[in-house]
């Protein structure tokens, strides 16, 4: 009798993650409030020769957290646009200089690319900011976080994994990475 697993099959190459989005499977062997704790648990299992290819860390109760980093002003928008355009222009200028025919380094294409990139970066940034008309007048950084992190394991090793993580929970965090 062949045992099937969501960790194998036609949509998954041998030893790799599934190609198509699939819900996680397995039995819970640990639950943690922070990702670092779940990672520490899996590290402990790996350090103790546990088959970690059967383990999955699942973030549950996902939240998108957007942290506001500052207010947008014309100066900030134009400065960011100029910097972004400068990098792109420098890149294009260096590429053009590689194909320039002439002796020695060709700084002309690099300078033209840099200046053109700054100008276009400022123009596009100003156009985008002006079209927003004061809506979303701040900058921010987004992060996906979970309310908890569950460690799941395939049934064939779940009991052993749960026992190992229970022993880990009884030790102080400074001893977490050592082998039994």
């Amino acid at each position: 009798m062949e045992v099937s697993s969501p960790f194998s099959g036609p949509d998954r190459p041998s030893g790799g993650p599934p190609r198509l989005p699939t819900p996680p499977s397995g039995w819970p062997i640990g639950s943690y409030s922070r990702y670092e704790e779940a990672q520490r648990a899996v590290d402990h299992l790996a350090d103790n020769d546990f088959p970690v290819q059967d383990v999955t860390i699942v973030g549950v109760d996902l939240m998108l957290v957007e942290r506001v980093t500052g207010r947008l002003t014309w100066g900030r928008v134009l400065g960011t646009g100029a910097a972004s355009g400068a990098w792109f222009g420098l890149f294009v200028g260096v590429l053009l200089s590689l194909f320039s025919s002439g002796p020695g380094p060709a700084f002309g294409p690099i300078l033209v690319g840099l200046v053109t990139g700054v100008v276009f970066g400022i123009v596009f940034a100003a156009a985008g900011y002006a079209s927003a008309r004061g809506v979303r007048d701040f900058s921010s950084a987004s992060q996906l976080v979970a309310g908890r992190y569950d460690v799941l394991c395939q049934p064939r090793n779940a009991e052993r994994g749960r026992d190992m993580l229970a022993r880990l929970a009884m030790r102080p965090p400074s001893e977490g990475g050592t082998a039994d």
Side-chain angles (χ1 to χ4, degrees), residues 33 83 91 95 137 168 173:
S33 60
F91 173 71
L95 284 179
D137 239 358
L168 173 66

Side-chain angles (χ1 to χ4, degrees), residues 32-171:
Y32 305 91
S33 60
R34 295 181 30 237
Y35 178 76
E36 293 81 11
E37 295 168 336
Q39 188 178 23
R40 175 180 172 250
V42 175
D43 282 341
H44 174 75
L45 294 173
D47 290 345
N48 289 283
D49 298 323
F50 187 85
V52 290
Q53 64 273 14
D54 285 352
V55 175
T56 305
I57 298 174
V58 180
V60 180
D61 297 331
L62 296 179
M63 299 173 273
L64 178 64
V65 178
E66 183 175 13
R67 290 183 170 72
V68 177
T69 57
R71 184 176 184 276
L72 285 181
T73 62
W74 274 105
R76 192 171 193 183
V77 168
L78 297 179
T80 303
S84 174
W87 278 113
F88 184 71
L90 184 64
F91 173 71
V92 170
V94 168
L95 284 179
L96 290 175
S97 73
L98 291 175
F99 300 107
S100 128
S101 61
F107 293 111
I110 294 174
L111 186 59
V112 169
L114 183 64
V115 170
T116 305
V118 168
V119 169
F120 276 100
I122 289 173
V123 168
F124 285 123
Y129 186 62
S131 69
R133 297 186 183 150
V135 176
R136 194 168 169 86
D137 239 358
F138 59 91
S139 59
S140 64
S142 296
Q143 186 179 32
L144 193 63
V145 295
R148 76 172 193 274
Y149 298 89
D150 291 342
V151 177
L152 305 180
C153 182
Q154 290 305 300
R156 63 181 161 262
N157 291 308
E159 187 175 340
R160 180 173 159 229
R162 192 177 297 120
D163 291 344
M164 291 173 74
L165 293 182
R167 284 193 304 265
L168 173 66
M170 291 187 268
R171 297 192 325 204

